[in-house]
Amino acid sequence: MSTPARILLVEDEINLARGIRENLEAEGYTVEAVGDGLTALDRIRRKEYGLVILDVMLPGMDGFTVCETARQEGRDTPVLFLTARGGGDDRIRGLEAGGDDYLAKPFQLRELLLRVAVILRRRSRYDAMTALEPVVRFGDNEFDFRSFRGRSWDGSDQILTQKEAMILKVLAEREGEVVWRDDILEKVWGDDVLPSSRTIDNFIVRLRKRFEPDPEHPRYFHTIRGIGYRFVAAGEEATS
Ligand code: CA
């Protein structure tokens, strides 16, 4: 990356916010800090950030709603959630809200810095991956990797998360070929904590719901049992 990322820090605990800010600045990042959800949303609408570090429990508007609202408006700034609750439900809620990662309080600042670096690296990898062929068309579906927006066969708007878009990219780049699950894991998750293969299955289910006229009988996103997936841009009946 040429210029160090500008980070929006949204945290209402003043001492914690100060600690995070000092550590990020020591790493060379530019940091803007705000303490409530509505101000955060306003900043996200007005400015470009490399990353938003977003506390969940906030005055005004909670972090999940801030992220969801930004995503619905087509804003794709990466989001790292911070929360006091370490439960699995919150993790899922965070991912559904369009978050990129999740860190439960209390956490080590070193751990936070690692996560920040991973998210920023992943974003620049995504930008590099999608630069050459930024648009994919299959059947009556169309998706633009730059804006994370597309239109599906029935004319509905589709706004994908970064992970959904990356999986689509990895499959579309090797159109017609069987892509192994491990390849998807490596390309999409890279040096992150690897998800279970069921997580990838769930992402494929989501892509089918978005783009397949009949998700139960996919024509574009085929499962190759025990191995991986195959994307067929022209569409064909699955044989297995
Ligand atoms: Ca809080």
Side-chain angles (χ1 to χ4, degrees):
M1 247 182 317
S2 48
T3 46
R6 179 162 60 181
I7 295 175
L8 179 64
L9 171 63
V10 189
E11 171 58 71
D12 60 325
E13 289 169 49
I14 290 171
N15 287 330
L16 179 59
R18 188 182 299 134
I20 293 174
R21 179 181 197 141
E22 282 169 3
N23 274 267
L24 288 170
E25 286 177 347
E27 294 288 310
Y29 301 114
T30 303
V31 181
E32 292 177 24
V34 299
D36 72 272
L38 288 168
T39 309
L41 187 57
D42 184 61
R43 290 286 180 95
I44 293 167
R45 283 172 172 155
R46 288 156 183 266
K47 279 188 174 178
E48 292 279 332
Y49 297 96
L51 172 69
V52 181
I53 299 175
L54 187 52
D55 187 27
V56 171
M57 306 291 278
L58 288 167
M61 179 187 270
D62 71 89
F64 291 142
T65 309
V66 170
C67 185
E68 259 164 12
T69 308
R71 293 290 184 255
Q72 278 159 11
E73 293 172 359
R75 286 164 225 286
D76 65 329
T77 317
V79 168
L80 170 62
F81 281 117
L82 304 181
T83 175
R85 295 166 294 172
D89 283 357
D90 257 19
R91 182 178 164 78
I92 291 164
R93 176 90 174 83
L95 294 175
E96 280 173 357
D100 294 77
D101 203 355
Y102 171 101
L103 197 54
K105 293 176 185 174
F107 52 81
Q108 304 273 341
L109 284 167
R110 201 179 47 202
E111 174 69 12
L112 175 78
L113 295 175
L114 277 175
R115 302 283 187 104
V116 166
V118 166
I119 293 173
L120 293 172
R121 207 156 51 230
R122 194 195 299 146
R123 175 53 62 106
S124 45
R125 198 167 61 216
Y126 176 88
D127 289 346
M129 261 171 74
T130 56
L132 236 46
E133 283 181 74
V135 177
V136 62
R137 291 185 183 85
F138 51 106
D140 292 322
N141 299 295
E142 187 179 281
F143 182 74
D144 188 325
F145 291 99
R146 293 162 298 195
S147 61
F148 291 83
R149 279 171 174 262
R151 208 181 52 248
S152 58
W153 60 277
D154 63 355
S156 60
D157 288 330
Q158 299 292 337
I159 301 167
L160 271 60
T161 65
Q162 184 176 309
K163 283 233 161 56
E164 288 176 319
M166 274 182 100
I167 290 172
L168 176 58
K169 186 65 187 175
V170 169
L171 293 174
E173 263 182 349
R174 294 173 54 190
E175 200 275 320
E177 293 174 38
V178 175
V179 182
W180 288 64
R181 272 213 185 87
D182 286 353
D183 284 354
I184 299 175
L185 282 172
E186 195 196 313
K187 286 239 170 69
V188 176
W189 274 267
D191 39 16
D192 284 356
V193 177
L194 294 184
S196 69
S197 55
R198 202 168 144 210
T199 308
I200 301 185
D201 292 337
N202 289 340
F203 274 103
I204 298 291
V205 166
R206 277 153 64 175
L207 287 172
R208 284 180 182 144
K209 279 191 186 144
R210 290 179 180 282
F211 296 116
E212 297 274 5
D214 181 359
E216 297 295 319
H217 301 94
R219 299 178 56 80
Y220 306 108
F221 300 92
H222 296 219
T223 300
I224 310 300
R225 203 172 290 278
I227 299 176
Y229 302 95
R230 188 162 63 101
F231 174 70
V232 182
E236 68 176 36
E237 300 283 336
T239 49
S240 58

